[in-house]
Amino acid sequence: MAIARSAGGVTSTRQKPQLGWMSLANMSFGFFGIQIGFVLQNGNMSRIFQTLGASMDDLPALWVAAPLTGLIVQPIIGHLSDKTWNRFGRRRPYFMTGALFSAISLFLMPIAPAFAAPLLFAAMLLWILDASLNIAMEPFRAFVGDMLSKSQHATGYAVQTAFIGAGAVVAAIFPWLLAQFGVSNTAADGQIPDTVRWSFWAGSFALFSAIAWTVITVKEYSPEEMAAFEEERDVEDSAGIEGLAAKGFISPALWLAAGALVTLSVAPLGLEKEIFLLGGLLATYGVLSAIGISMAKQGKAANMLSSIVGDFSGMPETMKRLALVQFFSWSALFIMWIYSGPIVSQYFYGSTDPTSEAYNAGANWWNVIYTVQNGVAAIAALLVLPWLSGKIGKAKTHMTCLLLGALGFFGYFVLRDPNLLIICEVLKGIAWASILAMPYAILASSLPQRKLGIYMGLFNVFIVVPQLLVATVMGSVMLAFFPGEPIWTMLFAAASWTIAALAMLRVQVPGETTGGTTYA
């Protein structure tokens, strides 16, 4: 069912039409498949890496591929999708490209043991998988802003979050369900259990099918229609390349110096080798900033590099304040994805041996309770968030949900009954729903349509950077202070979400009254 529009293309009031639930569902159904891919990755890659011979201390380095690809891919795809207008649409070509390569990566991952260097092959596939998922995912965030009026942004992102939660439930519980029907949950040393293998293969099909459904059923607005809609909106914007020309070279020099300092500190302080990556990224941004500023000062025409650097350095105030919230929100989430499975197996099932029955029982229980988290997120997105934000506003709603999630992480630190972890996951699920909906609803209403893709891509940098910090720094911290005791990472995560909640006190939503947001 395609989104209906008036015969003239744009209504006389130049407002985007209000869409019904079926159109909202078609628009976000692709995210159901994308989240299946992400959850299969996040819930099982530590298990796969350990099965293929990786130690606990190796996990952060192996996981670094995921956030690094996001850091590179998302701004580029955001910029390109803003500029793309062809017979296939604006965002939809990127949906299908990402879907194809994601599906191939998911299909190949379970056969990694058949290759000469299985651990390296799995790490490379993770890199390709995460890049492909990001290619498909990033335009979906802008897609909601493209297709909906401001009054439906919160509803649109809530529906998107519900599909994210539903996809996560399916992906997280599927290995456990297979085990209940007699599919083997253990394997010989160096082999991936059949429950994981068949989950990845089924996920490959589901991901491609769900994204194809959105591509087939939704028609995007034309450039002329989008320009007409834009005239009626009050938005924040950056000065772009013009503002970049007014900047000096002090900031790039500071980024370069920071990168050099971090890199040179690795050997004297005995830090893990992953810290070199962090130093390299800081220095690289300094170099790219200097190039962008130099090009702008010379009056050269805007290109991808100068546009991205200009928009990043001059991002709107609302986006800056939400960026801090995102930074601490996603720091905790990446800690969760790396360490939660091994923590459940070690502290609640008493095993650190990936070949043991107890370890795999713990891994499966983590998948089950992670399903609870995502199921709660799907329900909360449709029932709790609209009601609560209508009462107290989007900013306070997000702060409240983050504090509840922090309590969930703290529960892992103090509890030892695996059944009580369900309560923790309920609290975290409410926070997860808010993280996926509220920041984007706040942001989409205040940004220009012509730059929605690049801004959403740059906003996601503050999802990726904390993940890179966790992947590069957390291993060194744990090895130095808590060797062999990953449970302490849950305390870090609880503190991170608490800080994110407090940072929401600085975020003000323009035009939001005490009564909150209007939901369609």
Side-chain angles (χ1 to χ4, degrees), residues 2-362:
I3 290 176
R5 294 176 294 177
S6 62
V10 184
T11 65
S12 59
T13 59
R14 297 187 179 184
Q15 295 291 319
K16 294 174 186 174
Q18 296 287 299
L19 301 183
W21 285 104
M22 181 59 72
S23 293
L24 293 174
N26 287 339
M27 188 188 311
S28 291
F29 188 66
F31 232 124
F32 173 79
I34 290 172
Q35 195 61 18
I36 285 177
F38 271 121
V39 171
L40 286 173
Q41 169 188 293
N42 295 336
N44 294 282
M45 284 312 300
S46 287
R47 180 182 186 179
I48 290 173
F49 285 147
Q50 287 187 300
T51 298
L52 297 177
S55 68
M56 179 70 71
D57 293 333
D58 291 331
L59 292 182
L62 291 166
W63 269 94
V64 78
L68 182 59
T69 51
L71 181 64
I72 297 169
V73 167
Q74 291 193 21
I76 293 174
I77 295 300
H79 174 82
L80 292 175
S81 69
D82 282 342
K83 307 291 185 183
T84 299
W85 295 97
N86 58 39
R87 65 192 182 94
F88 298 109
R90 186 186 192 188
R91 316 290 182 187
R92 291 184 299 170
Y94 299 92
F95 297 163
M96 288 311 300
T97 300
L100 178 62
F101 286 98
S102 297
I104 292 171
S105 299
L106 285 171
F107 185 84
L108 292 177
M109 187 68 76
I111 62 175
F115 289 82
L119 186 57
L120 177 60
F121 183 78
M124 291 177 63
L125 271 182
L126 175 60
W127 200 297
I128 297 170
L129 173 61
D130 201 79
S132 304
L133 289 171
N134 275 288
I135 289 171
M137 180 199 73
E138 198 285 329
F140 259 103
R141 293 297 191 189
F143 195 50
V144 172
D146 289 345
M147 303 304 298
L148 299 179
S149 64
K150 184 176 180 178
S151 65
Q152 282 197 303
H153 280 164
T155 306
Y157 284 109
V159 171
Q160 192 174 87
T161 299
F163 276 115
I164 290 172
V169 167
V170 171
I173 203 170
F174 201 67
W176 179 83
L177 283 176
L178 289 175
Q180 306 313 301
F181 285 93
V183 179
S184 176
N185 189 46
T186 58
D189 190 24
Q191 297 297 312
I192 296 172
D194 285 345
T195 51
V196 177
R197 291 160 61 90
W198 284 104
S199 295
F200 271 68
W201 290 334
S204 174
F205 174 79
L207 181 147
F208 188 85
S209 300
I211 295 176
W213 178 266
T214 290
V215 170
I216 292 169
T217 59
V218 180
K219 183 178 180 180
E220 298 180 80
Y221 292 113
S222 69
E224 294 76 20
E225 289 172 308
M226 294 298 292
F229 293 139
E230 184 74 347
E231 291 177 4
E232 302 300 316
R233 299 176 70 239
D234 294 323
V235 297
E236 297 181 63
D237 198 358
S238 73
I241 192 168
E242 294 81 7
L244 197 62
K247 294 182 177 294
F249 291 95
I250 295 177
S251 178
L254 291 175
W255 284 106
L256 274 168
L261 180 63
V262 169
T263 301
L264 294 173
S265 298
V266 173
L269 298 179
L271 302 177
E272 293 293 289
K273 59 184 180 298
E274 293 85 7
I275 304 297
F276 283 120
L277 176 61
L278 178 60
L281 288 171
L282 294 172
T284 299
Y285 179 71
V287 171
L288 294 177
S289 296
I291 294 173
I293 292 172
S294 178
M295 293 173 64
K297 287 182 178 295
Q298 294 173 34
K300 293 186 176 180
N303 57 25
M304 184 188 300
L305 174 61
S306 59
S307 296
I308 291 175
V309 172
D311 288 329
F312 183 77
S313 62
M315 69 181 70
E317 189 62 31
T318 300
M319 186 170 164
K320 288 180 182 177
R321 296 186 178 191
L322 281 171
L324 182 64
V325 178
Q326 291 290 86
F327 179 90
F328 286 103
S329 298
W330 287 84
S331 294
L333 287 167
F334 203 59
I335 289 172
M336 177 186 75
W337 288 325
I338 293 178
Y339 292 104
S340 291
I343 283 173
V344 172
S345 292
Q346 179 175 340
Y347 291 90
F348 295 85
Y349 283 81
S351 177
T352 58
D353 179 7
T355 64
S356 70
E357 185 175 342
Y359 179 94
N360 284 285

Side-chain angles (χ1 to χ4, degrees), residues 404-415 424 428 490-491 493-495:
L404 290 175
L407 284 176
F409 274 121
F410 185 71
Y412 271 73
F413 190 74
V414 298
L415 300 174
C424 299
K428 288 163 61 185
M490 296 295 99
L491 202 57

